[in-house]
Amino acid sequence: MTAPSLRLEGSFALSVLPSTSISPLIAAPRVVAAAPRPIPLFRRSLPSPISRRSCWFAVKASSAPPTAEELKISTISTKPVEGQKTGTSGLRKKVKVFQEENYLANWIQALFNSLPPEDYKGGVLVLGGDGRYFNREAAQIIIKIAAGNGVGKILVGRDGLMSTPAVSAVIRKRGANGGFIMSASHNPGGPEYDWGIKFNYSSGQPAPESITDKIYGNTLSISEIKIADIPDVDLSSLGVVTYGNFTVEVIDPVSDYLELMENVFDFELIKGLVSRPDFRFTFDAMHAVTGAYAKPIFVDRLGASLDCISNGVPLEDFGHGHPDPNLTYAKDLVKIMYSEDAPDFGAASDGDGDRNMILGRGFFITPSDSVAIIAANAEEAIPYFKDGAKGLARSMPTSGALDRVASKLNLPFFEVPTGWKFFGNLMDAGKLSICGEESFGTGSDHIREKDGIWAVLAWLSIIAYQNKDKKVGEKLVSVADIAKEHWTTYGRNFFSRYDYEECESEGANKMMEYLRDVISKTKSGEKYGNYTLQFADDFTYKDPVDGSVASKQGLRFVFTDGSRIIYRLSGTGSAGATIRIYIEQFEPDVSKHGTDAQTALKPLIGLALSISKLSEFTGREKPTVIT
Ligand code: VG1
Ligand code: CO
């Protein structure tokens, strides 16, 4: 018998995953325990047009159905596939690429080949995802390969659903060895779009580069995959199924996370705000994973009305949307918040629930300001920080607003490369409590991922705290008031990011090489228009905890007045190259704080474009996204 391979077997009309009925080869899983389902919202979401079309993977040579006593494991031969290198946050490619023979299976096996056996043999792993197209098939592949490699137990979110922060929370709470997140985050989903996979380690943090580099190395030499001959597991209801020493437990994706949020925040304080007749709030889940969390948390627990939530049904293609909460892609929310009768507070989250966008009535809070404002108010408004923060940190391109809070509060401060994985060590070492990225990522050491719902609850806590003594009818302290007050105390860091998405890789790489060359010839004190150069470099980070070094993390031009221009290539795209230019300028003068950021930054933006010769290298005249 020749070794079988994992391959696409066929297409079936499914609205939920009836794994027991689609395979004639296999027996129904033995459900030992089942509990009631507390989240009706997501159940209604399943029959989307795309979710009816599904498929499954199977090992052709699958023999007799396994019993609870035995677990049969097959070894399948495979060949390496090029290009399986992890980017800023996991491996992301087009769905079609992941559907190629053994593509996902190779990566998962390469991961097990990279981990020390004691980190997974007989251990517990968590599995969840953002509900996007291909997650159902992927979940079954991951479960079977995990079983084939000796994992003891998989905790999987019902319907394969769990937000990135919730996976981190579940890993930590249940003492799991790690977990998989099936998501390409803010990238669009559907058969023509993106899929992705991330692996997080035992404290819930994204795997460090030392592990992801090993995985990549192993993808280049892989020759076999170990896979258990078990049926597709029914993920549509809570319960436990066991095959030999291997168990799959389908868990509620919300409850552990909600419990954690209740410990971090004063829910009664937030409830007091949300239930005020003079406060209106709206949350846009962008048809992504936080749709499953918004109702249980905001409506059922905090008393908001159901119509506060829009696009609250997770869909496999995010309703044809781009689940990226920024001013370009969350345009429905932006329109509402800038309308005449806008609510007092608006927020959105991305595909996998780790990003957030915060808006007041007619007022946008930049993510760089958001983390600074949260840090400045945390001790008073959020019980988790009642003894003060241990330290603050931001990614290198994020504005210096947070630095000013750290300095005023006399807190340790860290600047790390882009990507949440760099915060984890600092948190584990007890050096860091609150951190953020300019890319709509904010979070704390309650978990080891950025956390969209956490950021919304943090803002609601701050607004609630500032208005706790206000009687109905009195003017409330608004989101805009909180931001302006912050700027008055700390000064304003004007910040903007220009993205040039899906450029030709060649032009983008040449531009970066050109800039490296320019940087190598710069001298401190040189004039760039009205700006004087302090230094220019390619950012290198040495982790203060384990001493690991990450180089080539972004080209920066830093001027003597603190203004900065930074250039990076994105590490999360699935096609071409995305160039990001980050522009920042500090303004201490309160009378100038009301200026529009684009106006305030115009000279520096012009300088950024001319230094890089961007339009010459890429042919682009305009960015695709401005934030
Ligand atoms: C982007 C952001 C980065 C973020 C990463 C993952 O990376 O810039 O700050 O950590 O996405 O976010 P890049 O390499 O494209 O600039 V998510 O929500 O995709 O997990
Ligand atoms: Co995300």
Side-chain angles (χ1 to χ4, degrees):
M1 185 181 71
T2 53
S5 68
L6 265 182
R7 64 190 179 86
L8 201 58
E9 283 284 299
S11 198
F12 298 83
L14 307 177
S15 57
V16 288
L17 193 72
S19 51
T20 55
S21 63
I22 60 174
S23 173
L25 291 173
I26 51 185
R30 206 168 61 92
V31 174
V32 176
R37 286 200 287 261
I39 314 167
L41 190 68
F42 178 65
R43 302 294 310 149
R44 284 202 298 276
S45 75
L46 284 169
S48 70
I50 285 180
S51 63
R52 286 177 210 282
R53 279 182 277 121
S54 195
C55 52
W56 62 287
F57 286 74
V59 179
K60 269 252 168 160
S62 192
S63 50
T67 68
E69 287 72 44
E70 63 172 319
L71 182 69
K72 275 200 72 186
I73 293 166
S74 296
T75 301
I76 296 166
S77 63
T78 188
K79 287 197 193 82
V81 189
E82 284 292 314
Q84 295 200 308
K85 195 168 169 53
T86 308
T88 313
S89 176
L91 179 69
R92 294 184 195 181
K93 300 282 173 196
K94 296 284 176 219
V95 165
K96 288 199 161 67
V97 174
F98 272 105
Q99 285 173 327
E100 284 164 15
E101 191 167 339
N102 289 354
Y103 192 93
L104 173 61
N106 269 14
W107 193 85
I108 299 292
Q109 183 62 53
L111 179 127
F112 285 115
N113 296 348
S114 309
L115 298 177
E118 63 272 20
D119 281 5
Y120 64 88
K121 292 260 184 220
V124 180
L125 294 179
V126 180
L127 172 63
D130 60 6
R132 73 177 56 221
Y133 183 79
F134 191 61
N135 278 12
R136 293 157 187 278
E137 296 81 353
Q140 301 298 337
I141 294 171
I142 294 166
I143 289 170
K144 289 171 191 179
I145 296 175
N149 282 275
V151 170
K153 185 173 190 177
I154 298 264
L155 298 168
V156 51
R158 188 183 47 244
D159 290 312
L161 206 74
M162 213 186 288
S163 73
T164 289
V167 169
S168 188
V170 172
I171 292 172
R172 294 170 65 76
K173 181 181 170 195
R174 310 229 182 178
N177 298 71
F180 295 98
I181 302 162
M182 303 177 289
S183 171
S185 189
H186 53 285
N187 299 18
E192 304 301 321
Y193 294 101
D194 293 7
W195 197 79
I197 179 94
K198 309 191 257 189
F199 180 73
N200 284 26
Y201 235 138
S202 55
S203 72
Q205 82 277 34
E209 282 182 345
S210 54
I211 295 285
T212 55
D213 288 349
K214 251 192 206 159
I215 300 173
Y216 178 57
N218 281 325
T219 64
L220 299 175
S221 61
I222 191 165
S223 61
E224 50 186 42
I225 296 163
K226 288 180 219 145
I227 184 158
D229 288 354
I230 55 171
D232 279 4
V233 177
D234 179 2
L235 304 181
S236 67
S237 50
L238 305 185
V240 179
V241 56
T242 298
Y243 298 105
N245 293 329
F246 177 66
T247 300
V248 179
E249 182 180 348
V250 180
I251 62 169
D252 172 16
V254 181
S255 51
D256 286 356
Y257 178 77
L258 174 56
E259 187 188 298
L260 178 62
M261 291 301 109
E262 287 180 315
N263 287 330
V264 169
F265 296 102
D266 178 348
F267 266 40
E268 291 313 306
L269 175 74
I270 303 174
K271 208 172 173 178
L273 175 76
V274 169
S275 59
R276 285 182 76 113
D278 54 351
F279 181 81
R280 284 183 303 133
F281 144 80
T282 183
F283 178 77
D284 188 341
M286 304 189 85
H287 284 305
V289 75
T290 53
Y293 293 77
K295 184 179 172 288
I297 297 176
F298 298 129
V299 179
D300 301 343
R301 191 62 188 78
L302 290 169
S305 70
L306 194 55
D307 59 12
C308 291
I309 298 166
S310 51
N311 302 318
V313 177
L315 297 174
E316 288 193 325
D317 67 346
F318 308 113
H320 302 295
H322 192 145
D324 195 354
N326 60 36
L327 296 173
T328 302
Y329 296 123
K331 53 183 181 308
D332 294 350
L333 176 67
V334 173
K335 207 170 150 198
I336 292 169
M337 294 308 297
Y338 280 82
S339 67
E340 222 166 79
D341 188 33
D344 301 277
F345 179 79
S349 191
D350 73 329
D352 59 331
D354 57 357
R355 294 187 179 205
N356 73 92
M357 176 164 73
I358 302 292
L359 295 157
R361 186 183 301 130
F363 200 91
F364 167 60
I365 300 286
T366 69
S368 296
D369 278 345
S370 178
V371 64
I373 292 170
I374 291 173
N377 291 278
E379 194 172 333
E380 283 176 331
I382 304 173
Y384 184 82
F385 303 109
K386 64 178 188 313
D387 300 325
K390 294 173 191 142
L392 306 178
R394 60 164 170 83
S395 67
M396 183 276 279
T398 303
S399 95
L402 187 65
D403 314 29
R404 295 172 193 282
V405 176
S407 131
K408 185 152 193 268
L409 301 182
N410 208 9
L411 291 173
F413 175 78
F414 306 90
E415 181 182 42
V416 309
T418 294
W420 209 262
K421 57 182 173 252
F422 295 102
F423 293 123
N425 274 352
L426 295 167
M427 290 178 176
D428 287 349
K431 294 173 184 293
L432 170 62
S433 299
I434 299 174
C435 54
E437 294 191 277
E438 49 63 44
S439 55
F440 297 83
T442 329
S444 90
D445 63 347
H446 66 290
I447 53 168
R448 295 293 180 273
E449 286 278 4
K450 54 189 185 266
D451 190 341
I453 300 254
W454 175 92
V456 177
L457 293 172
W459 265 92
L460 288 173
S461 300
I462 294 167
I463 303 167
Y465 184 81
Q466 303 237 352
N467 289 294
K468 65 182 183 342
D469 301 323
K470 291 271 157 68
K471 301 204 170 55
V472 173
E474 267 184 83
K475 191 187 170 302
L476 295 184
V477 177
S478 70
V479 169
D481 295 337
I482 292 170
K484 286 176 189 163
E485 171 73 29
H486 185 89
W487 294 338
T488 304
T489 308
Y490 295 93
R492 178 172 180 188
N493 288 70
F494 283 106
F495 179 87
S496 185
R497 182 175 109 181
Y498 277 37
D499 291 337
Y500 298 81
E501 295 176 323
E502 294 190 22
C503 295
E504 295 286 337
S505 296
E506 202 192 330
N509 290 331
K510 277 193 179 150
M511 188 192 95
M512 294 301 277
E513 277 319 306
Y514 167 76
L515 278 169
R516 284 203 175 90
D517 188 50
V518 170
I519 284 174
S520 72
K521 293 173 185 143
T522 54
K523 285 198 186 65
S524 169
E526 276 173 352
K527 289 277 176 205
Y528 286 74
N530 292 333
Y531 300 90
T532 308
L533 189 74
Q534 190 182 342
F535 68 89
D537 70 355
D538 195 343
F539 181 60
T540 297
Y541 175 68
K542 186 167 180 214
D543 187 303
V545 181
D546 65 14
S548 59
V549 173
S551 52
K552 295 195 165 184
Q553 297 294 322
L555 303 172
R556 30 175 206 180
F557 289 76
V558 180
F559 301 97
T560 48
D561 66 348
S563 301
R564 300 191 302 164
I565 300 172
I566 293 147
Y567 305 87
R568 270 186 75 245
L569 293 185
S570 157
T572 56
S574 63
T578 291
I579 300 170
R580 305 200 195 285
I581 306 184
Y582 311 78
I583 304 117
E584 175 187 6
Q585 182 166 306
F586 179 63
E587 181 53 77
D589 182 351
V590 179
S591 72
K592 293 184 183 154
H593 285 169
T595 316
D596 176 71
Q598 295 306 316
T599 312
L601 294 171
K602 208 164 178 219
L604 210 51
I605 292 168
L607 196 56
L609 296 176
S610 74
I611 295 177
S612 62
K613 300 191 175 168
L614 181 129
S615 63
E616 257 174 66
F617 281 109
T618 64
R620 296 289 180 92
E621 295 301 329
K622 279 205 177 94
T624 23
V625 178
I626 297 180
T627 39

